[in-house]
Coordinates of all heavy atoms in Angstrom, one line a residue:
Chain A
N175 N -5.3 25.0 -44.3 CA -3.9 24.8 -44.6 C -3.8 24.1 -45.9 O -2.9 24.3 -46.7 CB -3.3 23.9 -43.5 CG -3.0 24.8 -42.2 OD1 -3.4 25.9 -42.2 ND2 -2.5 24.2 -41.2
M176 N -4.7 23.2 -46.2 CA -4.7 22.5 -47.5 C -4.8 23.5 -48.7 O -4.1 23.5 -49.7 CB -5.8 21.5 -47.6 CG -5.7 20.5 -48.8 SD -7.1 19.5 -48.9 CE -8.2 20.5 -49.9
L177 N -5.7 24.5 -48.5 CA -5.8 25.6 -49.5 C -4.5 26.4 -49.7 O -4.2 26.7 -50.8 CB -7.0 26.5 -49.2 CG -8.4 26.0 -49.5 CD1 -9.4 27.2 -49.4 CD2 -8.5 25.5 -50.9
Y178 N -3.9 26.6 -48.5 CA -2.6 27.3 -48.6 C -1.6 26.5 -49.5 O -0.9 27.0 -50.4 CB -2.0 27.6 -47.3 CG -2.6 28.7 -46.5 CD1 -3.0 28.5 -45.1 CD2 -2.9 29.9 -47.0 CE1 -3.6 29.5 -44.4 CE2 -3.5 30.9 -46.3 CZ -3.8 30.7 -45.0 OH -4.4 31.7 -44.3
Y179 N -1.6 25.2 -49.2 CA -0.7 24.4 -50.0 C -1.1 24.3 -51.4 O -0.2 24.3 -52.3 CB -0.5 23.0 -49.3 CG 0.5 23.0 -48.2 CD1 0.1 22.8 -46.9 CD2 1.8 23.2 -48.5 CE1 1.0 22.8 -45.9 CE2 2.7 23.2 -47.5 CZ 2.3 23.0 -46.2 OH 3.3 23.1 -45.2
L180 N -2.4 24.2 -51.7 CA -2.8 24.1 -53.1 C -2.4 25.4 -53.8 O -2.0 25.3 -55.0 CB -4.4 24.0 -53.1 CG -4.9 22.6 -53.0 CD1 -6.4 22.6 -52.9 CD2 -4.5 21.7 -54.2
S181 N -2.5 26.5 -53.2 CA -2.1 27.8 -53.9 C -0.6 27.8 -54.0 O -0.1 28.3 -55.0 CB -2.6 29.0 -53.1 OG -1.8 29.2 -51.9
G182 N 0.2 27.2 -53.1 CA 1.6 27.0 -53.3 C 2.0 26.1 -54.4 O 2.9 26.4 -55.2
L183 N 1.2 25.1 -54.6 CA 1.4 24.1 -55.7 C 1.2 24.8 -57.1 O 1.9 24.4 -58.0 CB 0.5 22.9 -55.5 CG 1.0 21.9 -54.5 CD1 -0.1 20.9 -54.2 CD2 2.3 21.2 -54.8
K184 N 0.2 25.7 -57.1 CA -0.1 26.4 -58.3 C 1.1 27.1 -58.9 O 1.3 27.2 -60.1 CB -1.2 27.4 -58.1 CG -2.6 26.8 -58.1 CD -3.4 27.4 -59.3 CE -4.7 26.6 -59.5 NZ -5.6 26.9 -58.4
S185 N 2.0 27.5 -58.0 CA 3.2 28.3 -58.5 C 4.3 27.5 -58.9 O 5.4 28.0 -59.4 CB 3.6 29.3 -57.4 OG 4.0 28.6 -56.3
I186 N 4.2 26.1 -58.8 CA 5.3 25.3 -59.2 C 5.2 25.1 -60.7 O 4.1 24.7 -61.2 CB 5.2 23.9 -58.5 CG1 5.5 24.1 -57.0 CG2 6.3 22.9 -59.1 CD1 5.5 22.8 -56.2
D187 N 6.3 25.2 -61.4 CA 6.3 25.1 -62.9 C 5.9 23.7 -63.3 O 6.6 22.7 -62.9 CB 7.7 25.5 -63.4 CG 7.7 25.6 -64.9 OD1 6.7 25.3 -65.5 OD2 8.7 26.1 -65.4
K188 N 4.9 23.5 -64.1 CA 4.4 22.2 -64.4 C 5.4 21.4 -65.3 O 5.4 20.1 -65.3 CB 3.1 22.2 -65.2 CG 1.9 22.7 -64.3 CD 1.4 21.6 -63.3 CE 0.4 22.1 -62.4 NZ 0.8 23.1 -61.4
S189 N 6.3 22.1 -66.0 CA 7.2 21.4 -66.8 C 8.2 20.6 -66.0 O 8.8 19.6 -66.5 CB 8.0 22.4 -67.7 OG 8.8 23.3 -66.9
L190 N 8.4 21.0 -64.7 CA 9.3 20.2 -63.8 C 8.7 18.8 -63.7 O 9.5 17.9 -63.6 CB 9.3 20.9 -62.5 CG 10.4 21.9 -62.2 CD1 10.2 22.6 -60.8 CD2 11.7 21.3 -62.3
Y191 N 7.4 18.7 -63.5 CA 6.8 17.4 -63.4 C 7.1 16.5 -64.6 O 7.4 15.4 -64.5 CB 5.3 17.5 -63.1 CG 4.9 18.2 -61.9 CD1 3.6 18.8 -61.8 CD2 5.7 18.3 -60.8 CE1 3.2 19.5 -60.7 CE2 5.3 19.0 -59.7 CZ 4.1 19.6 -59.6 OH 3.7 20.2 -58.5
E192 N 6.9 17.2 -65.8 CA 7.1 16.4 -67.0 C 8.5 15.9 -67.1 O 8.7 14.7 -67.4 CB 6.7 17.3 -68.2 CG 5.2 17.4 -68.4 CD 4.9 18.5 -69.3 OE1 5.7 18.9 -70.2 OE2 3.8 19.1 -69.2

Side-chain angles (χ1 to χ4, degrees):
Chain A
N175 287 0
M176 195 186 82
L177 280 191
Y178 285 133
Y179 276 113
L180 275 173
S181 73
L183 284 169
K184 277 241 170 74
S185 63
I186 296 180
D187 189 354
K188 291 285 175 291
S189 64
L190 269 175
Y191 297 156
E192 283 165 28

